[in-house]
Amino acid sequence: MGWNIFHGTDRNNEICRSYTTISNLAQAVADVLPARDWRTLAPVLNHRYGDAYFSVPAADAGRIASLLHKAASHRRMPPDFGDLARELANAAQAAANARQPWEWR
C-alpha cells in the first residue's frame, strides 16, 4: 500500500510511493532541516496511512514546496531522498500554481 500524490509526474499526474518510502523520507528531511521548518512539513510527511486521504490547501502547498526544495538541496540529504523531495516539491508547487489543493490518497 502507499500514497497516490497528485500534481505529480506520471501520466495520471500522480506520484505513487509506499508508506515506508514516505516515512523514510520524513526521517531524512527531519535530519537536515531546522525544527521550525520540520514542524511545517511534519503534518504532511508524517501523516499516518490509517488516516487515508488528506489534502493540503493551495496556499500552504507553496510553502511546503519551498521547504522540500530546501531539504532536497541540503548537503547531508541522501541523493535518492533528495530526488524524491524535489519531485514532491514540484508537485506541491504545481498545486499551488494551479490554486488547487495538493491531494494525497
Side-chain angles (χ1 to χ4, degrees):
M1 297 291 300
W3 291 111
N4 292 347
I5 305 159
F6 290 81
H7 291 85
T9 56
D10 76 3
R11 70 172 196 239
N12 296 320
N13 293 323
E14 296 177 356
I15 299 168
C16 299
R17 294 294 185 271
S18 72
Y19 298 136
T20 302
T21 297
I22 297 299
S23 177
N24 290 338
L25 172 65
Q27 292 174 1
V29 169
D31 286 343
V32 301
L33 289 182
R36 175 189 73 245
D37 293 341
W38 171 243
R39 280 191 299 274
T40 301
L41 292 176
V44 175
L45 297 181
N46 270 345
H47 202 88
R48 298 295 171 217
Y49 57 85
D51 297 340
Y53 168 83
F54 71 97
S55 65
V56 176
D60 295 336
R63 173 81 175 129
I64 288 169
S66 175
L67 293 174
L68 284 168
H69 275 296
K70 180 178 177 181
S73 63
H74 195 281
R75 63 181 172 77
R76 289 190 341 239
M77 177 63 79
D80 54 337
F81 286 127
D83 291 343
L84 177 55
R86 203 169 290 105
E87 186 177 14
L88 291 174
N90 292 340
Q93 191 60 58
N97 291 347
R99 295 187 176 146
Q100 296 175 343
W102 188 32
E103 298 179 359
W104 290 54
R105 297 183 189 177

